[in-house]
Amino acid sequence: MTTSPLLPNHLGGQWVTGTGAGTPLFDPVLGTELARVSSAGLDLAAGFNFAREQGGAALRALSYVERAGLLGAIVKVLQANRDAYYEIATANCGTTTKDSAVDIDGGIFTLGYYAKQGEALGSAHALLDGERIRMGKDPVFQTQHMLTPTRGVALFINAFNFPSWGLWEKAAPALLSGVPVIVKPATATAWLTQRMVKDVIDAGILPPGALSVVCGSSAGLMDQLQPFDVVSFTGSAETARIIRSHPAVAERSVRCNIEADSLNSALLDPAATPESEAFGLLVSEVVREMTVKAGQKCTAIRRVFVPRALYDAVAQAIGAKLAKTSVGNPRNEAVRMGSLVSQEQKASVLEGIAKLRAEAEVLFDGSSAALVDADASVAACVAPVLLGSREPAKAKLLHAMEVFGPVATLMAYDSVEQAYELIRRGEGSLVCSVYSADPTFIAAAALELGSAHGRVHAISPDVAASQSGHGNVMPMSLHGGPGRAGGGEELGGLRALGFYHRRSAVQASSAALDVLGASAVAMKL
């Protein structure tokens, strides 16, 4: 049997292939081997030093507007190669064209957004944080807080579900800040990340060392981190605990951003009726979140809270829509939902469903329908499953365990106060969506739920046609969440630059601060 070629890594300003047989990447629908990856034998220490010393210095020598120009040039390269990215996503991620767009076009859009934001920062090389403050009675001596780019590297350890967007939503603000990037994509779907990085490197847009990619094992990566580096991780809570306890973070105080498991919720206004528009909006959004990318989104709806009187009606409405969802080979135009990314993920989802069923009833199970143009014994496909609990206050696992696939649980509540309490049992989530025609209810819900979520997404009839979607992460809004969600923050417009800058106070004469201000731009992050 002939093995696939190893995808080269880019580190230390050059392409280098790892040693050994490598780890195979598969088509999750057809089961065929696509490529292999290996990080064995790489000189990680030299690669990280090259990025810090060469890539970092070259990026910091540029102004924000010049770095924004680099992002704009990257956008053009990625747009020119979109067709190839869609082919890779279909083959390696098992996603339909529509679902691939969420990842591919979403990443390109985010880069374009930060290119425009960076233009507004002009020729500055640092950011002023707030106004000057007098240090005493005499106004000649004052303090000015400022943010300067950290003199280290940004290590991204990314999840398997967004090989494009997961890279660019982090890399855009990092590169705009003047910080070189080393990305370690999840192995199962590393091909798309590697190809995008290759296209950008081949185009000669960035200075050597500004962008690197390491595919395969993550062994040794955290060991390379030094005090002024930063690390951003998206993935499981178990891996997050390992990262937080690593000496780089625990002893060397490397700045760390975590986005982990999250039990996101949807809440229907108790004033809703089966005929109300809010009812229909919730049903449609839940179905979309269960099926887009086969439910493999960190922001997907996992718990759906509805008034007890509407429990059966909502279950029937969601089930009716899910019954129309065809599952199978994403190359077939009749397929609306593709596969999970791997057989390992399929096994994990099926195991998770079995565990949740100990506390929930099955309201809809699409597994009885045949797969479209796919062999069920080979394809990593799992049909949508809607579970339900009429007594969620008595449940424990339903509020603690996320099944990362096309699975959600409907939950009945008796009062909105109870709904708030049950939602907070998730112990912190990335997003909660609220469905209501009443602005007063929406505002009250936002105040109640804001502290437990990174984002409150309110869908009312007046924004039904323009709202961006419960699970869509837009670059101008915060992405992250407290507690179980990891406690991190990403995006949020120019707020994202704060992670890649260091804040310091300059205490000096007003004359010196005038000179300092000439090379910086006022910006509170």
Side-chain angles (χ1 to χ4, degrees), residues 511-525:
L513 294 180
D514 286 341
V515 176
L516 176 68
S519 60
V521 60
M523 180 64 59
K524 183 170 179 59
L525 302 178

Side-chain angles (χ1 to χ4, degrees), residues 23-86:
T23 302
L25 310 185
F26 294 99
D27 182 316
V29 175
L30 305 179
T32 53
E33 184 176 313
L34 302 170
R36 288 180 175 248
V37 294
S38 172
S39 60
L42 300 185
D43 190 341
L44 297 179
F48 274 67
N49 286 334
F50 185 88
R52 283 189 204 96
E53 298 169 6
Q54 302 296 320
L59 287 172
R60 290 193 304 274
L62 304 174
S63 65
Y64 290 104
V65 69
E66 289 172 324
R67 295 194 289 262
L70 298 180
L71 298 186
I74 293 174
V75 167
K76 292 179 180 179
V77 169
L78 298 182
Q79 287 176 333
N81 291 279
R82 282 175 71 251
D83 290 347
Y85 304 148
Y86 274 87

Side-chain angles (χ1 to χ4, degrees), residues 78 80-90 104 191-192 195 199:
L78 298 182
N81 291 279
R82 282 175 71 251
D83 290 347
Y85 304 148
Y86 274 87
E87 291 179 6
I88 292 173
T90 298
I104 296 167
W191 188 11
L192 179 55
R195 172 58 190 269
D199 288 342

Side-chain angles (χ1 to χ4, degrees), residues 8-15 50 74 77-78 81 85 168 175 181 183 193-213:
N9 306 281
H10 191 77
L11 190 65
Q14 59 186 344
W15 289 104
F50 185 88
I74 293 174
V77 169
L78 298 182
N81 291 279
Y85 304 148
W168 299 118
L175 294 172
V181 167
V183 59
T193 304
Q194 192 270 355
R195 172 58 190 269
M196 286 183 145
V197 170
K198 183 178 187 302
D199 288 342
V200 172
I201 297 298
D202 289 350
I205 296 170
L206 297 170
L211 179 61
S212 306
V213 61

Side-chain angles (χ1 to χ4, degrees), residues 268-269 271-281 283 309-314 317:
L268 181 61
D269 187 339
T273 66
E275 296 76 29
S276 66
E277 194 167 353
F279 180 102
L281 290 171
V283 169
L310 296 180
Y311 180 88
D312 290 326
V314 172

Side-chain angles (χ1 to χ4, degrees), residues 135-155:
M135 299 287 286
K137 291 183 179 180
D138 191 337
V140 72
F141 187 57
Q142 302 182 8
T143 184
Q144 170 70 65
H145 291 86
M146 70 173 183
L147 298 119
T148 51
T150 189
R151 297 198 170 211
V153 300
L155 172 63

